[in-house]
Amino acid sequence: MTQTANAQTQGTQTTPMLIGGRPAYSSTGRIYEVRNPANGQVVGIVPQATVEDANRAVEAAQAAFRGWAETSPDDRAELLFKGIELLKQNEKEIVRLLSQEQGKPVFEAKGEVHHLIHGLTFYAGLSSKIRGAEVPLPPAMGKYSYGVLFRRPVGVAVGITPWNFPLTLMGTKVGPALIAGCPIIIKPAQTTPLATLRVIELLNEAGLPPGVLQCVTGSGSELGEPLITHPAVRRVALTGSSNTGRRVMELAGRDFKRVTLELGGSDPMIVCPDANLKAAINGAMVGRFWNAGQQCLAVKRLYVFEEVYEEFLSGLIDKVSRYELGDPSTPAEKPKVRMGPLHAEFQRREIEEQLADAVAKGAKVVLGGKRPEGLDQGFYFEPTIVTDVPEDSRLVTEEVFGPVLPVFRVKTLDEAIQKANNSPWGLGSSIWTNNMIWANKAVREIEAGVTWINMIHYGYDELPFGGVKASGLGREHGPEAVDYYLEDKGAVFGGLEG
């Protein structure tokens, strides 16, 4: 909810943005509340930034660009390492903020902060490893001529991050940008700015020059277009929905800006007759219901060979039925709380409509399928398993961003792969088998950015990650992520005789 704030209120109640290395508030004085999806309580107040504020951030980044680009890789890394130490020292506070604003249990929030720190550490260590090349050239235009490939930072970058994993998906943009020499402005999701603001504040406290790392908060519809289309912005990194990705490409493409898009997914998981069923059941459970199923990279369609279908389904139902829903702030003495609420009411309403559509077409709910009793506050929904799901139902044709898992029976690997590929998305996928011929076939033929073999869908910082089809463009994670913040320039040195 947007409100008007006076100067006194701003100083005591509002968590400021960071523009040009300094705390910043909206040029209009507007603020909005951040609420806990578990109980609706206000957990913070932040500025509702304007186009003027976004322009100020871009101007500060542009002013910082030359100096940061000329900073030595070792010095960039040293500042990032100092920031990482501050994150470690303030980990409990960051975890608390993340859990409160996003709705995930504390143990999941801890995992996300750990992933953030691991990723930033990976990129800090990579800072001095960026290489160019020397290229021997034909002697026709001059004996001893040679070429040199330089790699230089693209320029000011903008990172637009979602609400489901606000910190890890910020880190996959901040780490590569900073070590490449690009200032970056982060625009977090409107509903999850608090932990992001604290992380960016701490990284700046480590000594980053003003304007190198900034954060503006508020409405994506109000801030996204001015940030993306600003002439000084040369690089845009988005994690979001496929529809948002299309719009970002349209805007950035007008001025040929460097773009990466990590978008939606409907990941298939294939369980073969020879699979370790215990491991596969655990993989399906975590892969679908972690973060209340609110993941682009999650098991959203499960294909099980008919030889093991009944055994697998029975084991999965038994395992998932032990989940306990509850307030994510539940103390450690109640470790059974495995799943918090959905992040927003519209998310719960959408999965209810998707599930109702499947049931109306003949699907059977074998576990869950409704709002839990006794949790009237918050946007809770039971972990749900569904069978006999028609291929034309919304549970199959749409991305399901919540704790609902359709399970399908298949006869052959060819059938499983055909069904897996019958989707507009292609982010992640997995196959569970000890048969290397089957594993290799799945890797070659499944249309996805990554295929895991006997492992849950997890994005490693060391390995490039991204999707195909409607799941996006380009790659984050891995050394390859840095490439999108660098441009190659060739230089030719004419040969000298004697």
Side-chain angles (χ1 to χ4, degrees), residues 228-243:
I228 294 165
T229 60
H230 195 292
V233 171
R234 299 306 309 160
R235 167 77 171 96
V236 180
L238 165 78
T239 302
S241 71
S242 298
N243 286 336

Side-chain angles (χ1 to χ4, degrees), residues 47-75:
Q48 179 78 45
T50 64
V51 173
E52 179 183 342
D53 301 320
N55 289 338
R56 280 196 295 139
V58 176
E59 290 164 6
Q62 182 68 1
F65 174 47
R66 181 179 293 274
W68 187 242
E70 294 177 352
T71 300
S72 75
D74 284 343
D75 288 342

Side-chain angles (χ1 to χ4, degrees), residues 281 304 308-318 366 385-387 407:
I281 287 168
V304 184
V308 293
Y309 178 87
E310 297 297 342
E311 181 182 356
F312 182 92
L313 180 62
S314 175
L316 180 63
I317 292 171
D318 178 66
V366 295
I385 299 173
V386 193
T387 63
V407 185

Side-chain angles (χ1 to χ4, degrees), residues 259-293:
V259 175
T260 54
L261 306 169
E262 197 264 278
L263 307 176
S266 185
D267 289 11
M269 172 177 168
I270 299 172
V271 181
C272 298
D274 67 327
N276 180 329
L277 293 189
K278 181 179 180 181
I281 287 168
N282 285 332
M285 179 183 69
V286 176
R288 171 69 279 194
F289 299 110
W290 187 268
N291 201 36

